[in-house]
Amino acid sequence: MLIRRNRHAESPEREVTDPGLYLRRREFVTGAGAALVLAACGPADDPMAEAKAEATTGAGVETTPFEKATHYNNYYEFGTDKEDPSENAGQLVTRPWSVAIEGEVAKPGTIDLEDLIKPSAVEERIYRMRCVEAWSMVIPWRGVPLKDVLARLEPTSRARYVAFTTLLRPEQMPGQRRRVLEWPYREGLRMDEAMNTLPLLVTGMYGRDLPNQNGAPLRLVVPWKYGFKGIKSIVSIRLTETQPETAWNVAAPDEYGFYANVNPEVDHPRWSQKRERRIGEFSKRPTLMFNGYGDQVAALYAGMDLQKNF
Ligand SMILES: Nc1nc2c(c(=O)[nH]1)N[C@H]1C(S)=C(S)[C@@H](COP(=O)(O)O)O[C@H]1N2
Ligand SMILES: [Mo]
């Protein structure tokens, strides 16, 4: 069960709620995927209520503190240290913003971000995020289902993949002045993965607009895949017949596959993927196949060798 909260149905106060207060409400993610329980704004300090919620939701967990989610980032366009994006991304100008719609679609062209998002109902969804570096967070995102946006673009019968590109603007993205990766950052999904209900095109988090360091004004979130699939500051969406190149796969094909499904059985050459550190916790926890979203996505890979297609 996914509780969908339509933005327009929310009280205006909600928009100005201090994120700290917002976070004090208890929010839990179940072990079984996108399903989420937003426990009513009951007393946050009632240990019994918390224990009960944990019991009913299985691997229930609180959302990661906003401070952590916005100051421990990977966004190499702004530097490779975790604090670099929060320090450097403020200079990125994110309005106006348009997205190029390219390739196998009925009407290629350029569309204003607002017009791309507007026809869809904005939702808030709490997802686990697992980085390939073996840390994880739980983040309340705000966005629209990728599948809704793609359907509106009217893919042709030849469209088998969708490719995304990040902004290339070295004047405002100091990390792009060094060849850490082949810029611009690129990512992609197979069309049936993209049409699954889980992937979100994200414009906000923690009930507010997306901070620049988290990929403003538009980023992708694919919760059953490693975090690097969640490409930030998207300027182009291209539907293709063949599997697109992706930045990390081009940089190190033995380390980062195209699929990048969270998989505790396939280790990265430099680190095990069996366990992860949830940011804010002391001991490591086991990593779940497909990051715990197998119910919704395992069928996409029926018959595929996930050791080879990692
Ligand atoms: N354009 C771009 N997108 C990116 C990255 C990046 O360096 N550049 N890093 C990826 C990685 S490795 C992760 S784990 C997530 C981190 O998202 P967060 O900083 O919002 O937690 O963004 C992904 N998207
Ligand atoms: Mo990552």
Side-chain angles (χ1 to χ4, degrees):
M1 174 196 60
L2 175 68
I3 296 177
R4 295 180 178 203
R5 288 184 294 164
N6 186 316
R7 173 189 210 180
H8 307 291
E10 289 176 31
S11 70
E13 289 90 328
R14 182 61 208 300
E15 302 295 320
V16 295
T17 299
D18 169 83
L21 288 173
Y22 174 70
L23 281 171
R24 253 164 259 147
R25 305 189 318 169
R26 315 308 281 177
E27 301 189 349
F28 299 89
V29 186
T30 74
L36 66 87
V37 175
L38 291 169
C41 308
D45 50 3
D46 173 359
M48 280 314 290
E50 199 172 327
K52 271 183 234 150
E54 286 274 355
T56 50
T57 58
V61 226
E62 274 180 78
T63 52
T64 299
F66 178 81
E67 242 342 86
K68 288 273 193 318
T70 55
H71 290 81
Y72 187 90
N73 299 104
N74 278 334
Y75 197 170
Y76 279 17
E77 285 84 340
F78 295 102
T80 53
D81 287 345
K82 294 287 182 282
E83 320 76 53
D84 287 342
S86 55
E87 276 170 26
N88 300 328
Q91 61 188 296
L92 180 67
V93 177
T94 60
R95 305 275 169 200
W97 193 273
S98 55
V99 179
I101 305 300
E102 305 171 305
E104 297 293 343
V105 290
K107 286 177 238 134
T110 298
I111 183 165
D112 206 65
L113 173 59
E114 230 180 79
D115 298 327
L116 185 72
I117 296 298
K118 213 174 10 194
S120 304
V122 175
E123 298 180 26
E124 305 221 4
R125 295 190 191 176
I126 301 177
Y127 283 154
R128 291 178 292 277
M129 182 175 78
R130 169 61 156 80
C131 175
V132 73
E133 297 163 341
W135 53 265
S136 61
M137 298 190 190
V138 179
I139 300 183
W141 302 108
R142 163 185 290 178
V144 301
L146 173 64
K147 72 181 180 79
D148 290 3
V149 172
L150 291 180
R152 277 203 305 278
L153 302 181
E154 297 179 53
T156 74
S157 59
R158 284 183 297 275
R160 290 184 54 227
Y161 296 88
V162 52
F164 302 88
T165 309
T166 293
L167 177 71
L168 180 66
R169 192 185 283 166
E171 317 87 84
Q172 291 172 10
M173 296 176 133
Q176 286 181 340
R177 295 172 212 155
R178 294 190 301 139
R179 254 192 123 232
V180 182
L181 286 170
E182 210 177 87
W183 310 115
Y185 194 100
R186 291 169 291 161
E187 258 308 334
L189 296 170
R190 218 171 53 194
M191 204 57 188
D192 58 340
E193 298 179 308
M195 296 306 285
N196 182 276
T197 52
L198 294 181
L200 272 192
L201 276 175
V202 162
T203 55
M205 64 195 284
Y206 297 83
R208 42 153 74 182
D209 282 347
L210 206 53
N212 283 2
Q213 60 266 37
N214 295 91
L218 182 72
R219 63 93 59 87
L220 178 69
V221 170
V222 189
W224 74 92
K225 294 177 178 282
Y226 291 117
F228 67 86
K229 298 296 285 186
I231 182 172
K232 296 175 169 180
S233 305
I234 295 167
V235 293
S236 116
I237 300 177
R238 174 184 287 273
L239 279 71
T240 65
E241 208 170 347
T242 54
Q243 184 176 301
E245 288 190 341
T246 60
W248 280 106
N249 184 245
V250 165
D254 300 337
E255 300 186 20
Y256 310 102
F258 174 80
Y259 285 94
N261 294 315
V262 173
N263 188 343
E265 302 305 322
V266 178
D267 288 337
H268 180 279
R270 281 179 284 129
W271 48 76
S272 162
Q273 296 294 12
K274 285 211 173 1
R275 281 139 60 81
E276 67 198 61
R277 188 177 306 284
R278 180 68 52 81
I279 297 299
E281 291 181 355
F282 293 105
S283 46
K284 290 196 170 184
R285 55 168 70 219
T287 286
L288 305 174
M289 185 67 200
F290 297 118
N291 206 20
Y293 299 95
D295 285 356
Q296 288 104 315
V297 301
L300 292 167
Y301 311 104
M304 273 176 71
D305 181 344
L306 297 179
Q307 301 278 334
K308 284 198 187 108
N309 298 285
F310 62 91

